[in-house]
mmCIF file of all heavy atoms in Angstrom:
data_model
loop_
_atom_site.group_PDB
_atom_site.id
_atom_site.type_symbol
_atom_site.label_atom_id
_atom_site.label_comp_id
_atom_site.label_asym_id
_atom_site.label_seq_id
_atom_site.Cartn_x
_atom_site.Cartn_y
_atom_site.Cartn_z
ATOM 1 N N ARG K 18 68.748 108.469 96.851
ATOM 2 C CA ARG K 18 68.009 108.580 98.110
ATOM 3 C C ARG K 18 68.856 108.171 99.236
ATOM 4 O O ARG K 18 69.781 107.432 99.122
ATOM 5 C CB ARG K 18 66.718 107.690 98.019
ATOM 6 C CG ARG K 18 67.011 106.181 98.019
ATOM 7 C CD ARG K 18 65.708 105.438 97.839
ATOM 8 N NE ARG K 18 65.932 103.988 97.801
ATOM 9 C CZ ARG K 18 64.971 103.089 97.597
ATOM 10 N NH1 ARG K 18 63.698 103.475 97.336
ATOM 11 N NH2 ARG K 18 65.279 101.825 97.618
ATOM 12 N N GLN K 19 68.485 108.704 100.427
ATOM 13 C CA GLN K 19 69.209 108.328 101.661
ATOM 14 C C GLN K 19 68.224 108.185 102.777
ATOM 15 O O GLN K 19 67.505 109.019 103.165
ATOM 16 C CB GLN K 19 70.211 109.447 102.011
ATOM 17 C CG GLN K 19 71.095 109.082 103.165
ATOM 18 C CD GLN K 19 72.271 110.091 103.379
ATOM 19 O OE1 GLN K 19 72.247 111.202 102.930
ATOM 20 N NE2 GLN K 19 73.336 109.641 104.030
ATOM 21 N N ALA K 20 68.213 106.910 103.278
ATOM 22 C CA ALA K 20 67.414 106.532 104.427
ATOM 23 C C ALA K 20 68.143 106.820 105.718
ATOM 24 O O ALA K 20 69.374 106.841 105.700
ATOM 25 C CB ALA K 20 66.981 105.120 104.318
ATOM 26 N N PRO K 21 67.488 106.966 106.815
ATOM 27 C CA PRO K 21 68.105 107.231 108.060
ATOM 28 C C PRO K 21 69.189 106.127 108.414
ATOM 29 O O PRO K 21 68.874 104.912 108.379
ATOM 30 C CB PRO K 21 66.922 107.199 109.088
ATOM 31 C CG PRO K 21 65.800 107.620 108.297
ATOM 32 C CD PRO K 21 65.968 107.027 106.918
ATOM 33 N N GLY K 22 70.380 106.556 108.786
ATOM 34 C CA GLY K 22 71.415 105.575 109.149
ATOM 35 C C GLY K 22 72.084 104.875 107.962
ATOM 36 O O GLY K 22 72.806 103.974 108.186
ATOM 37 N N ARG K 23 71.712 105.230 106.803
ATOM 38 C CA ARG K 23 72.256 104.548 105.625
ATOM 39 C C ARG K 23 72.964 105.552 104.681
ATOM 40 O O ARG K 23 72.731 106.737 104.751
ATOM 41 C CB ARG K 23 71.156 103.772 104.858
ATOM 42 C CG ARG K 23 70.435 102.780 105.743
ATOM 43 C CD ARG K 23 69.480 101.913 104.897
ATOM 44 N NE ARG K 23 70.249 101.077 103.911
ATOM 45 C CZ ARG K 23 69.654 100.190 103.225
ATOM 46 N NH1 ARG K 23 68.401 99.993 103.212
ATOM 47 N NH2 ARG K 23 70.400 99.437 102.352
ATOM 48 N N GLU K 24 73.806 105.070 103.799
ATOM 49 C CA GLU K 24 74.487 105.890 102.870
ATOM 50 C C GLU K 24 73.501 106.236 101.681
ATOM 51 O O GLU K 24 72.518 105.505 101.378
ATOM 52 C CB GLU K 24 75.668 105.168 102.278
ATOM 53 C CG GLU K 24 76.789 104.957 103.350
ATOM 54 C CD GLU K 24 78.068 104.409 102.763
ATOM 55 O OE1 GLU K 24 78.051 104.079 101.448
ATOM 56 O OE2 GLU K 24 79.016 104.300 103.413
ATOM 57 N N ARG K 25 73.806 107.334 101.061
ATOM 58 C CA ARG K 25 73.003 107.694 99.892
ATOM 59 C C ARG K 25 73.139 106.641 98.796
ATOM 60 O O ARG K 25 74.292 106.196 98.563
ATOM 61 C CB ARG K 25 73.478 109.081 99.282
ATOM 62 C CG ARG K 25 72.649 109.664 98.239
ATOM 63 C CD ARG K 25 73.081 111.078 97.868
ATOM 64 N NE ARG K 25 72.829 112.011 98.925
ATOM 65 C CZ ARG K 25 73.076 113.325 98.841
ATOM 66 N NH1 ARG K 25 73.617 113.816 97.698
ATOM 67 N NH2 ARG K 25 72.833 114.125 99.772
ATOM 68 N N GLU K 26 72.108 106.312 98.121
ATOM 69 C CA GLU K 26 72.178 105.259 97.068
ATOM 70 C C GLU K 26 71.487 105.736 95.824
ATOM 71 O O GLU K 26 70.561 106.534 95.827
ATOM 72 C CB GLU K 26 71.555 104.008 97.576
ATOM 73 C CG GLU K 26 70.080 104.068 97.838
ATOM 74 C CD GLU K 26 69.435 102.710 98.237
ATOM 75 O OE1 GLU K 26 70.128 101.765 98.445
ATOM 76 O OE2 GLU K 26 68.178 102.713 98.439
ATOM 77 N N PHE K 27 71.950 105.124 94.735
ATOM 78 C CA PHE K 27 71.400 105.356 93.386
ATOM 79 C C PHE K 27 70.022 104.870 93.284
ATOM 80 O O PHE K 27 69.703 103.770 93.779
ATOM 81 C CB PHE K 27 72.326 104.722 92.367
ATOM 82 C CG PHE K 27 71.718 104.724 90.980
ATOM 83 C CD1 PHE K 27 71.609 105.892 90.196
ATOM 84 C CD2 PHE K 27 71.159 103.536 90.475
ATOM 85 C CE1 PHE K 27 71.045 105.829 88.943
ATOM 86 C CE2 PHE K 27 70.642 103.488 89.212
ATOM 87 C CZ PHE K 27 70.516 104.643 88.453
ATOM 88 N N VAL K 28 69.137 105.612 92.600
ATOM 89 C CA VAL K 28 67.750 105.128 92.349
ATOM 90 C C VAL K 28 67.406 104.999 90.889
ATOM 91 O O VAL K 28 67.081 103.958 90.394
ATOM 92 C CB VAL K 28 66.712 106.140 92.975
ATOM 93 C CG1 VAL K 28 65.300 105.724 92.622
ATOM 94 C CG2 VAL K 28 66.877 106.232 94.484
ATOM 95 N N ALA K 29 67.732 106.109 90.116
ATOM 96 C CA ALA K 29 67.409 106.132 88.723
ATOM 97 C C ALA K 29 68.224 107.276 87.988
ATOM 98 O O ALA K 29 68.584 108.200 88.644
ATOM 99 C CB ALA K 29 65.934 106.259 88.410
ATOM 100 N N ALA K 30 68.432 107.083 86.717
ATOM 101 C CA ALA K 30 69.121 108.074 85.888
ATOM 102 C C ALA K 30 68.578 108.036 84.463
ATOM 103 O O ALA K 30 68.120 107.008 84.020
ATOM 104 C CB ALA K 30 70.621 107.893 85.987
ATOM 105 N N ILE K 31 68.683 109.194 83.838
ATOM 106 C CA ILE K 31 68.374 109.293 82.403
ATOM 107 C C ILE K 31 69.367 110.095 81.731
ATOM 108 O O ILE K 31 69.834 111.180 82.153
ATOM 109 C CB ILE K 31 66.943 109.897 82.263
ATOM 110 C CG1 ILE K 31 66.534 109.966 80.785
ATOM 111 C CG2 ILE K 31 66.859 111.298 82.826
ATOM 112 C CD1 ILE K 31 65.066 110.228 80.578
ATOM 113 N N SER K 32 69.873 109.628 80.606
ATOM 114 C CA SER K 32 70.909 110.258 79.777
ATOM 115 C C SER K 32 70.302 111.372 78.930
ATOM 116 O O SER K 32 69.252 111.170 78.278
ATOM 117 C CB SER K 32 71.616 109.279 78.919
ATOM 118 O OG SER K 32 72.406 109.951 78.019
ATOM 119 N N TRP K 33 70.942 112.491 78.918
ATOM 120 C CA TRP K 33 70.552 113.588 77.993
ATOM 121 C C TRP K 33 70.789 113.246 76.509
ATOM 122 O O TRP K 33 70.063 113.618 75.677
ATOM 123 C CB TRP K 33 71.245 114.871 78.395
ATOM 124 C CG TRP K 33 71.169 116.003 77.434
ATOM 125 C CD1 TRP K 33 70.079 116.507 76.838
ATOM 126 C CD2 TRP K 33 72.286 116.668 76.851
ATOM 127 N NE1 TRP K 33 70.414 117.529 75.981
ATOM 128 C CE2 TRP K 33 71.761 117.680 75.978
ATOM 129 C CE3 TRP K 33 73.656 116.612 77.072
ATOM 130 C CZ2 TRP K 33 72.617 118.464 75.266
ATOM 131 C CZ3 TRP K 33 74.477 117.486 76.356
ATOM 132 C CH2 TRP K 33 73.923 118.375 75.430
ATOM 133 N N THR K 34 71.910 112.571 76.292
ATOM 134 C CA THR K 34 72.424 112.360 74.932
ATOM 135 C C THR K 34 71.751 111.134 74.283
ATOM 136 O O THR K 34 71.498 111.209 73.064
ATOM 137 C CB THR K 34 73.924 112.232 74.962
ATOM 138 O OG1 THR K 34 74.318 111.253 75.910
ATOM 139 C CG2 THR K 34 74.607 113.526 75.249
ATOM 140 N N THR K 35 71.501 110.101 75.023
ATOM 141 C CA THR K 35 70.945 108.892 74.472
ATOM 142 C C THR K 35 69.516 108.631 74.794
ATOM 143 O O THR K 35 68.852 107.866 74.103
ATOM 144 C CB THR K 35 71.772 107.634 74.873
ATOM 145 O OG1 THR K 35 71.613 107.442 76.281
ATOM 146 C CG2 THR K 35 73.238 107.833 74.561
ATOM 147 N N GLY K 36 69.020 109.268 75.883
ATOM 148 C CA GLY K 36 67.699 108.932 76.442
ATOM 149 C C GLY K 36 67.557 107.640 77.123
ATOM 150 O O GLY K 36 66.566 107.275 77.656
ATOM 151 N N ASN K 37 68.745 106.964 77.285
ATOM 152 C CA ASN K 37 68.754 105.622 78.064
ATOM 153 C C ASN K 37 68.442 105.970 79.550
ATOM 154 O O ASN K 37 68.756 106.973 80.096
ATOM 155 C CB ASN K 37 70.123 105.021 77.960
ATOM 156 C CG ASN K 37 70.442 104.428 76.622
ATOM 157 O OD1 ASN K 37 69.511 104.238 75.758
ATOM 158 N ND2 ASN K 37 71.699 104.101 76.321
ATOM 159 N N THR K 38 67.703 104.976 80.076
ATOM 160 C CA THR K 38 67.362 105.106 81.596
ATOM 161 C C THR K 38 68.001 103.909 82.239
ATOM 162 O O THR K 38 68.170 102.792 81.709
ATOM 163 C CB THR K 38 65.793 105.140 81.755
ATOM 164 O OG1 THR K 38 65.262 103.904 81.130
ATOM 165 C CG2 THR K 38 65.255 106.331 81.045
ATOM 166 N N TYR K 39 68.220 104.097 83.556
ATOM 167 C CA TYR K 39 68.845 103.110 84.396
ATOM 168 C C TYR K 39 68.112 103.121 85.768
ATOM 169 O O TYR K 39 67.823 104.237 86.256
ATOM 170 C CB TYR K 39 70.333 103.390 84.572
ATOM 171 C CG TYR K 39 71.086 103.600 83.209
ATOM 172 C CD1 TYR K 39 71.323 104.828 82.749
ATOM 173 C CD2 TYR K 39 71.533 102.495 82.536
ATOM 174 C CE1 TYR K 39 71.965 104.968 81.576
ATOM 175 C CE2 TYR K 39 72.193 102.617 81.293
ATOM 176 C CZ TYR K 39 72.396 103.928 80.879
ATOM 177 O OH TYR K 39 73.071 104.087 79.598
ATOM 178 N N TYR K 40 67.963 101.999 86.336
ATOM 179 C CA TYR K 40 67.297 101.862 87.618
ATOM 180 C C TYR K 40 68.034 100.891 88.549
ATOM 181 O O TYR K 40 68.679 99.991 88.182
ATOM 182 C CB TYR K 40 65.912 101.323 87.399
ATOM 183 C CG TYR K 40 65.004 102.268 86.577
ATOM 184 C CD1 TYR K 40 64.883 102.078 85.211
ATOM 185 C CD2 TYR K 40 64.275 103.282 87.133
ATOM 186 C CE1 TYR K 40 64.085 102.837 84.409
ATOM 187 C CE2 TYR K 40 63.440 104.035 86.400
ATOM 188 C CZ TYR K 40 63.357 103.869 85.050
ATOM 189 O OH TYR K 40 62.570 104.709 84.300
ATOM 190 N N ALA K 41 67.966 101.204 89.868
ATOM 191 C CA ALA K 41 68.391 100.262 90.848
ATOM 192 C C ALA K 41 67.459 99.122 90.803
ATOM 193 O O ALA K 41 66.273 99.272 90.556
ATOM 194 C CB ALA K 41 68.314 100.943 92.219
ATOM 195 N N ASP K 42 67.982 97.903 91.090
ATOM 196 C CA ASP K 42 67.124 96.709 91.102
ATOM 197 C C ASP K 42 65.913 96.832 92.033
ATOM 198 O O ASP K 42 64.834 96.332 91.776
ATOM 199 C CB ASP K 42 67.974 95.483 91.554
ATOM 200 C CG ASP K 42 68.918 95.119 90.411
ATOM 201 O OD1 ASP K 42 68.779 95.554 89.234
ATOM 202 O OD2 ASP K 42 69.894 94.431 90.678
ATOM 203 N N SER K 43 66.114 97.529 93.151
ATOM 204 C CA SER K 43 65.093 97.643 94.164
ATOM 205 C C SER K 43 63.826 98.415 93.697
ATOM 206 O O SER K 43 62.769 98.332 94.342
ATOM 207 C CB SER K 43 65.655 98.276 95.499
ATOM 208 O OG SER K 43 66.153 99.586 95.197
ATOM 209 N N VAL K 44 64.035 99.228 92.653
ATOM 210 C CA VAL K 44 62.835 100.053 92.211
ATOM 211 C C VAL K 44 62.451 99.735 90.764
ATOM 212 O O VAL K 44 61.422 100.252 90.285
ATOM 213 C CB VAL K 44 63.200 101.618 92.266
ATOM 214 C CG1 VAL K 44 63.757 101.945 93.651
ATOM 215 C CG2 VAL K 44 64.231 101.959 91.164
ATOM 216 N N LYS K 45 63.143 98.840 90.102
ATOM 217 C CA LYS K 45 62.842 98.486 88.742
ATOM 218 C C LYS K 45 61.403 97.953 88.605
ATOM 219 O O LYS K 45 61.014 97.102 89.410
ATOM 220 C CB LYS K 45 63.851 97.492 88.210
ATOM 221 C CG LYS K 45 63.996 97.464 86.733
ATOM 222 C CD LYS K 45 65.221 96.536 86.311
ATOM 223 C CE LYS K 45 66.475 97.129 86.823
ATOM 224 N NZ LYS K 45 67.652 96.317 86.345
ATOM 225 N N GLY K 46 60.726 98.484 87.672
ATOM 226 C CA GLY K 46 59.304 98.068 87.457
ATOM 227 C C GLY K 46 58.257 98.824 88.270
ATOM 228 O O GLY K 46 57.069 98.753 88.057
ATOM 229 N N ARG K 47 58.833 99.629 89.217
ATOM 230 C CA ARG K 47 57.939 100.450 90.035
ATOM 231 C C ARG K 47 58.083 101.941 89.836
ATOM 232 O O ARG K 47 57.188 102.739 89.966
ATOM 233 C CB ARG K 47 58.107 100.125 91.543
ATOM 234 C CG ARG K 47 57.833 98.687 91.910
ATOM 235 C CD ARG K 47 57.903 98.449 93.436
ATOM 236 N NE ARG K 47 59.253 98.770 93.981
ATOM 237 C CZ ARG K 47 59.477 99.696 94.901
ATOM 238 N NH1 ARG K 47 58.434 100.351 95.404
ATOM 239 N NH2 ARG K 47 60.657 99.853 95.336
ATOM 240 N N PHE K 48 59.318 102.365 89.581
ATOM 241 C CA PHE K 48 59.727 103.747 89.396
ATOM 242 C C PHE K 48 59.986 104.008 87.911
ATOM 243 O O PHE K 48 60.534 103.130 87.193
ATOM 244 C CB PHE K 48 60.958 104.126 90.199
ATOM 245 C CG PHE K 48 60.754 104.154 91.733
ATOM 246 C CD1 PHE K 48 59.636 103.662 92.363
ATOM 247 C CD2 PHE K 48 61.738 104.735 92.470
ATOM 248 C CE1 PHE K 48 59.439 103.646 93.724
ATOM 249 C CE2 PHE K 48 61.547 104.779 93.951
ATOM 250 C CZ PHE K 48 60.439 104.170 94.507
ATOM 251 N N THR K 49 59.632 105.282 87.471
ATOM 252 C CA THR K 49 59.989 105.684 86.128
ATOM 253 C C THR K 49 60.554 107.108 86.135
ATOM 254 O O THR K 49 59.956 107.986 86.720
ATOM 255 C CB THR K 49 58.672 105.670 85.228
ATOM 256 O OG1 THR K 49 58.093 104.369 85.263
ATOM 257 C CG2 THR K 49 59.041 106.062 83.803
ATOM 258 N N ILE K 50 61.739 107.196 85.553
ATOM 259 C CA ILE K 50 62.405 108.494 85.376
ATOM 260 C C ILE K 50 62.053 109.041 84.026
ATOM 261 O O ILE K 50 62.044 108.302 83.078
ATOM 262 C CB ILE K 50 63.962 108.365 85.646
ATOM 263 C CG1 ILE K 50 64.567 109.770 85.709
ATOM 264 C CG2 ILE K 50 64.625 107.549 84.575
ATOM 265 C CD1 ILE K 50 65.960 109.734 86.166
ATOM 266 N N SER K 51 61.928 110.370 83.985
ATOM 267 C CA SER K 51 61.571 111.025 82.713
ATOM 268 C C SER K 51 62.096 112.441 82.817
ATOM 269 O O SER K 51 62.514 112.948 83.836
ATOM 270 C CB SER K 51 60.047 110.931 82.362
ATOM 271 O OG SER K 51 59.382 111.635 83.328
ATOM 272 N N ARG K 52 61.972 113.130 81.603
ATOM 273 C CA ARG K 52 62.412 114.549 81.628
ATOM 274 C C ARG K 52 61.585 115.274 80.582
ATOM 275 O O ARG K 52 61.065 114.695 79.652
ATOM 276 C CB ARG K 52 63.874 114.627 81.262
ATOM 277 C CG ARG K 52 64.241 114.066 79.872
ATOM 278 C CD ARG K 52 65.671 113.898 79.682
ATOM 279 N NE ARG K 52 66.335 115.171 79.843
ATOM 280 C CZ ARG K 52 67.645 115.311 80.316
ATOM 281 N NH1 ARG K 52 68.267 114.218 80.567
ATOM 282 N NH2 ARG K 52 68.089 116.500 80.457
ATOM 283 N N ASP K 53 61.454 116.562 80.794
ATOM 284 C CA ASP K 53 60.798 117.505 79.906
ATOM 285 C C ASP K 53 61.773 118.654 79.624
ATOM 286 O O ASP K 53 61.802 119.550 80.496
ATOM 287 C CB ASP K 53 59.420 117.958 80.487
ATOM 288 C CG ASP K 53 58.678 118.794 79.410
ATOM 289 O OD1 ASP K 53 59.288 119.408 78.548
ATOM 290 O OD2 ASP K 53 57.442 118.804 79.551
ATOM 291 N N ASN K 54 62.483 118.564 78.576
ATOM 292 C CA ASN K 54 63.545 119.596 78.360
ATOM 293 C C ASN K 54 62.942 120.926 78.125
ATOM 294 O O ASN K 54 63.478 121.904 78.467
ATOM 295 C CB ASN K 54 64.365 119.205 77.190
ATOM 296 C CG ASN K 54 65.263 118.017 77.479
ATOM 297 O OD1 ASN K 54 65.540 117.709 78.627
ATOM 298 N ND2 ASN K 54 65.696 117.286 76.427
ATOM 299 N N ALA K 55 61.795 121.007 77.539
ATOM 300 C CA ALA K 55 61.073 122.304 77.376
ATOM 301 C C ALA K 55 60.764 122.999 78.626
ATOM 302 O O ALA K 55 60.771 124.232 78.663
ATOM 303 C CB ALA K 55 59.844 122.111 76.507
#
């Protein structure tokens, strides 16, 4: 995400190979990343 006047920053990611998910501290517990490969 990129807010006005700020640099783009990481929010969340999900690995295709392991299914592991990663979150920025600022969104942990509030945001959930997921995928539907089909």
Side-chain angles (χ1 to χ4, degrees):
R18 68 185 182 187
Q19 186 168 21
R23 302 189 65 174
E24 294 188 352
R25 187 176 290 184
E26 64 176 4
F27 168 75
V28 176
I31 183 167
S32 169
W33 165 53
T34 50
T35 66
N37 289 344
T38 57
Y39 307 97
Y40 297 93
D42 289 342
S43 59
V44 307
K45 202 171 296 183
R47 300 188 298 121
F48 291 12
T49 302
I50 188 171
S51 62
R52 63 191 303 150
D53 186 334
N54 289 339

